[in-house]
Amino acid sequence: MSNVLRYLGVLLLFGIGAVHLYEYFADHYRVIPVIGVLFVLNFAGAVVLALALAGPLRSLPGLSSVPVVGRAPHALVALGAIVFSLGTLIGLLISEQGALFGFHEYGYRTTVMLALGLESGVVVVLSAFLALEARRLRPPPGAGGSRASRRDQHVPPHR
């Protein structure tokens, strides 16, 4: 299930990138100061995050020796993708309610609704992925631990 959520997150991230690239070219966002550059950066960021989330990160040499990242590299990328999607979502909502860098988005067109759905989907799907990863990384009860924790466990007497 964890891999299904991860790859669904990959598809959603590619979708976010595609919507922003479409807006850049088809809706002429490329001529809007600052916003045009942000749309290209959003496309690039979504593609990089999607490729990193889909890639075989555990097989990269030396990565397993990095303290936090080595245990769950996809979880770290998923967390970055959630933050990225939340930032994009917040930027869109700000531009709908007011102005963002002097730009005001008018109305909920199809591409705006699609972007809202994809960005929200990334947050939900990759949050579920992170929850499963956290459960997977947590040691099972009674595994490892100190002598005191093993000593305090109740073991029924043999008869």
Side-chain angles (χ1 to χ4, degrees):
M1 184 62 168
S2 180
N3 279 336
V4 170
L5 291 171
R6 181 167 62 106
Y7 288 118
L8 183 55
V10 167
L11 291 175
L12 290 167
L13 283 165
F14 279 134
I16 290 172
V19 166
H20 283 83
L21 191 62
Y22 173 82
E23 291 273 8
Y24 181 80
F25 286 111
D27 289 339
H28 304 290
Y29 278 42
R30 65 183 174 274
V31 298
I32 303 170
V34 180
I35 297 297
V37 173
L38 290 176
F39 269 62
V40 169
L41 291 175
N42 190 290
F43 163 74
V47 169
V48 167
L49 285 166
L51 291 173
L53 197 57
L57 298 180
R58 286 194 181 98
S59 65
L60 293 176
L63 187 64
S64 62
S65 63
V66 178
V68 175
V69 179
R71 289 189 64 204
H74 288 113
L76 188 62
V77 174
L79 183 61
I82 290 170
V83 171
F84 168 80
S85 295
L86 283 172
T88 302
L89 190 59
I90 290 168
L92 175 58
L93 293 174
I94 289 171
S95 73
E96 281 285 337
Q97 302 302 315
L100 181 66
F101 302 111
F103 175 75
H104 182 74
E105 185 78 65
Y106 292 98
Y108 286 100
R109 303 178 324 277
T110 303
T111 51
V112 172
M113 297 295 282
L114 186 58
L116 286 170
L118 291 168
E119 291 155 1
S120 300
V122 166
V123 172
V124 170
V125 167
L126 291 182
S127 293
F129 169 75
L130 283 179
L132 289 177
E133 282 295 290
R135 205 167 101 198
R136 184 183 67 80
L137 291 172
R138 196 172 308 136
S146 66
R147 267 192 244 180
S149 66
R150 286 191 297 262
R151 183 181 61 232
D152 294 340
Q153 292 174 359
H154 175 69
V155 178
H158 293 280
R159 294 189 185 190

